[in-house]
Amino acid sequence: MNTKKNLTKFVFLAMMVALGVVISPILRVEGMCPMAHFINVTCAVLMGPWYALACALMIGILRMAFMGIPPLALTGAIFGAFLSGILYRISKGSILAAFAGEVIGTGIIGAIVSYPVMTFIWGRSDLTWFFYVPSFIGGTLIGGSIAFVFLKQLQRAKLLSKFQDTLGTTVHAVKKQEATAS
C-alpha cells in the first residue's frame, strides 16, 4: 500500500475515533451507547476488521481515561467491531452481515465477557452472566440500524466503493452491488 493511502487511512481512523469519543456521551440512552455501534459497523465496512478493532479500542480507552467510563467501553465494542468487519469480508460485502456481526459480537459475546470484567476487576457483585445482554443488544440494534441505513444510502449513491477505494479496502462485490442498484 502506498504512503498516500496509508496517510488517508490513518487520518480517517483518527476522525472516526474523534467522532466516536465526542458523540458517544451526547447521543446516549442509559445503559446503551448506540452511536458506538454506528461507528463500529461504519468503520468495519469502510476500513476492515483490524481498523474497526483499533478504532473501538482507542475510543474505549479514551472514554475510560477522560470520561470515567467503566471497562464496558471496551468489552461493549471490540468484539462487535471486529466480528462486523470479518463477516462483511466473508460475505463479500453484505452490509447486513456487518450489522449481524455487531449484534452478535457486542450484543452477545461482549455482553457475556462484561460479566467477569465487571465482577472481578470492577468489583460489582450484583450481576449475572446475562445482565448486560438486553441493553447491549438494544444498543447494537439501534446503532447498527442507523449504520445499515447510512451505508445503504452510500451504496445507492455509488459512494461506498469510492470511499473504500480511497481507503484501500475495496470489497469487489460492493462495486457489483452498486452497479446493479442503478
Side-chain angles (χ1 to χ4, degrees), residues 154-174:
L154 284 181
Q155 195 174 55
R156 278 194 197 100
K158 296 181 176 30
L159 293 172
L160 184 58
S161 64
K162 288 180 184 178
F163 288 156
Q164 289 173 330
D165 279 340
T166 301
L167 295 167
T169 57
T170 300
V171 174
H172 298 290
V174 172

Side-chain angles (χ1 to χ4, degrees), residues 1-20:
M1 191 181 316
N2 65 29
T3 306
K4 184 178 179 182
K5 282 212 195 263
N6 274 339
L7 181 61
T8 303
K9 215 169 199 175
F10 286 127
V11 168
F12 187 78
L13 177 63
M15 288 175 18
M16 293 295 282
V17 170
L19 185 64

Side-chain angles (χ1 to χ4, degrees), residues 21-145:
V21 170
V22 170
I23 66 173
S24 64
I26 296 170
L27 303 171
R28 182 174 169 78
V29 179
E30 187 57 39
M32 297 182 210
C33 192
M35 297 318 292
H37 309 297
F38 167 78
I39 296 288
N40 285 353
V41 175
T42 303
C43 197
V45 168
L46 291 176
M47 301 185 74
W50 292 107
Y51 281 92
L53 175 66
C55 184
L57 185 64
M58 286 186 269
I59 291 170
I61 290 170
L62 288 171
R63 288 180 65 212
M64 287 170 52
F66 296 110
M67 297 175 188
I69 305 292
L72 296 176
L74 291 177
T75 59
I78 58 173
F79 299 102
F82 187 71
L83 190 57
S84 181
I86 292 291
L87 291 184
Y88 182 75
R89 296 292 174 187
I90 289 172
S91 69
K92 295 182 175 37
S94 168
I95 297 170
L96 187 59
F99 171 73
E102 177 65 21
V103 173
I104 294 165
T106 296
I108 298 170
I109 298 169
I112 292 171
V113 168
S114 294
Y115 166 76
V117 169
M118 292 303 288
T119 300
F120 302 120
I121 296 173
W122 207 251
R124 296 264 325 252
S125 60
D126 56 337
L127 305 177
T128 65
W129 280 97
F130 297 102
F131 180 82
Y132 293 107
V133 172
S135 62
F136 279 30
I137 285 183
T140 61
L141 290 175
I142 295 167
S145 296

